[in-house]
Amino acid sequence: MKRVIRSILDDIIRELWDDKIDVQNIVYQISHSKNNEHGDLATNIALILAKKLKRSPVDIANEIKSCIKVNPLIEKIEVANPGFINFFFSVEIYHRFINNILEKKDEYGVSDLYEGQKVHLEFVSVNPTGPLHVGHGRNAVYGSVLANCLEAVGCIVHREYYINDSGRQMDILAISVFIRYLELYGEIIKFPVNGYQGGYVFDIAKDFINEYGRGHFHKANNVFEKLPLDYDEDGDKEKYIDALITRCKMILGEDSYWQIHQFALNNVLKGIKEDLESFSVYQEWFSEQSLLDQNAVEDVIDLLKRKDCVYEKEHALWFSASKFGDEKDRVLIRANGQYTYFATDIANHYNKYLTDYSQIIDVWGADHHGYIPRMRAAIQAMGLDVNKFHVRLVQFATLFRGDEQIQMSTRSGSFITLKELQEEVGADAARFFYIMRKAEQHMDFDIELAKSKTSDNPVYYIQYAHARICSVFRQLIELNFNYSKEIGLKNLHLLDTVEESDLMKSLSRYTEVIEISAIQYAPHLIAQYLKELATEFHTYYNAAKFLVEQEDLRNSRLCLIGATKQVLLNGLTILGVTSPETM
């Protein structure tokens, strides 16, 4: 109904004041009234126009009210101080929603708001240097649920994981595996401070031995001679790890080193794919290395050169990012001739623009906030439409077990994997907890709460509402009562209690919630809505008896809770959460 009311109001203000003010840029709100005495919807349009027209907001509100044509679905319109317009809807409109839900079933909530628009959505994109941990889960769930929201409003969504399978971090993983490989053959080695130290690196090394044996073995003394001091020896850990990478490449040779590199990559990537699939996250996979193989990075640098956006300094090639709003210029090619990650990422985004996407959305960790102006600068410099490019930032989750925070460190290997979290709390609880707050807000993930089977656990509370309704319909059969949707729909006027009115109003908001979630990239709104809907149902369940002798009343109530069950199912499906029939 918000869309209907907005259309009516937009037409009226154009008709009345198009010659006096810039009507196109008038921004006003239409919101659901929290108090039934204030109607179903309220708008502040008169308050916004009063500033432009220099008139009393109450007078403007009354003028707008007088222009609204009679509509059988609008019972009455009131103007309230200091100038709000309140709309009261006829109960028949909510009856229509019940009928619509029961008729459309799984398709209820689907709309054509963005019909046919192509969207490129990149999310997760974690460096394949180790298994996914609980911090990555929030990004994965946010991206997958946002994709579901966008598809529900008509978008064609390309879901992508950008694999950072080249560069320094992958080199660090490769030599970490190589060192553990040597240790497994009895070599005594002081592991580099900046290496990947998790137990999974030993597992990869064991698998490598099973596949290739001693064919890559070298004495540790030969590998570590003439290296600079590491951090724990009062040296520089970055210089040490870079020197060690260079040394390992030289000793192993290109083919041998690449075999270790690719084995480690494929091993980690296989685990990531399996974890995401078990978490109901499905994506296409795009390789950073493929950009290098196709000379795509060289091509975009040539493009930036033609646009006079690069220069040389200190034997490196720089992008003039500061000309396009970034805080400083950025290196594209280091003095050693290697591309920076930023250079390959420019090529990655240029590749996205080669397809006619209406929206290009990247989901990044909150620590990448400073990277946004850098990438926007590159997109502008290449002459592309920067308005298509959107970044959503996702805060990492802090993990608790009751009151105790669980400390994690990726590099040291001290972390709980996403797989372990799923095994302990279940995929449903994990997904719901990740999505129930704004992505950019900090969140505490309480493992004990997620495992609990109480009303304090929001996902259990919502699923229990669905299961309760299923139980009512099972009892219907046990009591030999009949359920007739036709009789129920004809007698919806019998639903006249406060609990029934509140539940019908909540159901009417579902499609609107999906659309707002898609428009604002805010899928947490669906989780919040389902919690509110479950609360309305549980209140109704405790206040009314559904399986009554009176046929007309029984069937009308069953239609109402049947519609509630359908909306709970549809909403949980978008969140990637199951809807159990028994609990």
Side-chain angles (χ1 to χ4, degrees), residues 59 170 173 195 218 280 315 336 364 413 425 436 499 502 538:
D59 289 346
M170 288 307 304
L173 176 65
H218 291 268
S280 300
H315 306 292
N336 62 7
W364 296 345
V425 308
M436 68 181 178
E499 292 82 10
D502 288 345
H538 288 305

Side-chain angles (χ1 to χ4, degrees), residues 430-460:
R431 285 185 67 94
F432 192 91
F433 270 61
Y434 277 132
I435 203 64
M436 68 181 178
R437 290 189 178 85
K438 272 186 179 180
E440 60 268 29
Q441 287 182 342
H442 175 80
M443 78 162 292
D444 295 335
F445 192 120
D446 185 344
I447 290 178
E448 296 305 319
L449 178 60
K451 290 162 58 178
S452 70
K453 300 187 185 308
T454 68
S455 59
D456 292 330
N457 180 349
V459 66
Y460 178 86

Side-chain angles (χ1 to χ4, degrees), residues 179-285:
I179 291 168
R180 295 305 190 196
Y181 166 85
L182 297 180
E183 286 182 324
L184 288 169
Y185 278 113
E187 293 296 293
I188 306 300
I189 295 171
K190 184 183 73 65
F191 200 82
V193 171
N194 228 15
Y196 287 102
Q197 302 179 35
Y200 68 92
V201 179
F202 265 119
D203 293 337
I204 297 172
K206 290 175 185 175
D207 289 343
F208 189 78
I209 287 174
N210 290 336
E211 184 101 6
Y212 296 103
R214 293 180 63 94
H216 298 71
F217 180 79
H218 291 268
K219 296 293 293 182
N221 289 341
N222 294 334
V223 175
F224 289 90
E225 69 177 354
K226 296 180 181 179
L227 292 178
L229 297 177
D230 202 352
Y231 180 76
D232 56 357
E233 302 169 319
D234 295 326
D236 186 319
K237 63 181 179 180
E238 302 297 344
K239 288 182 179 179
Y240 179 83
I241 201 75
D242 286 341
L244 182 56
I245 291 169
T246 300
R247 180 71 178 168
C248 289
K249 287 182 176 179
M250 182 185 73
I251 287 177
L252 286 164
E254 183 177 346
D255 290 344
S256 182
Y257 176 80
W258 188 245
Q259 199 167 50
I260 296 172
H261 182 286
Q262 290 301 105
F263 187 89
L265 166 66
N266 293 333
N267 189 294
V268 172
L269 203 54
K270 180 176 180 289
I272 289 175
K273 290 180 178 181
E274 289 173 351
D275 288 351
L276 289 176
E277 287 182 9
S278 70
F279 208 38
S280 300
V281 177
Y282 303 96
Q283 298 166 277
E284 299 294 326
W285 302 79

Side-chain angles (χ1 to χ4, degrees), residues 497 499-500 538-548 557:
T497 69
E499 292 82 10
E500 288 163 340
H538 288 305
T539 301
Y540 183 35
Y541 183 91
N542 293 326
K545 185 177 180 181
F546 306 133
L547 301 180
V548 295
R557 286 180 173 175

Side-chain angles (χ1 to χ4, degrees), residues 503-523:
L503 187 53
M504 285 190 288
K505 288 180 180 180
S506 290
L507 291 172
S508 74
R509 292 176 46 224
Y510 176 69
T511 300
E512 173 198 319
V513 170
I514 301 300
E515 291 182 347
I516 293 173
S517 298
I519 293 168
Q520 298 181 0
Y521 305 146

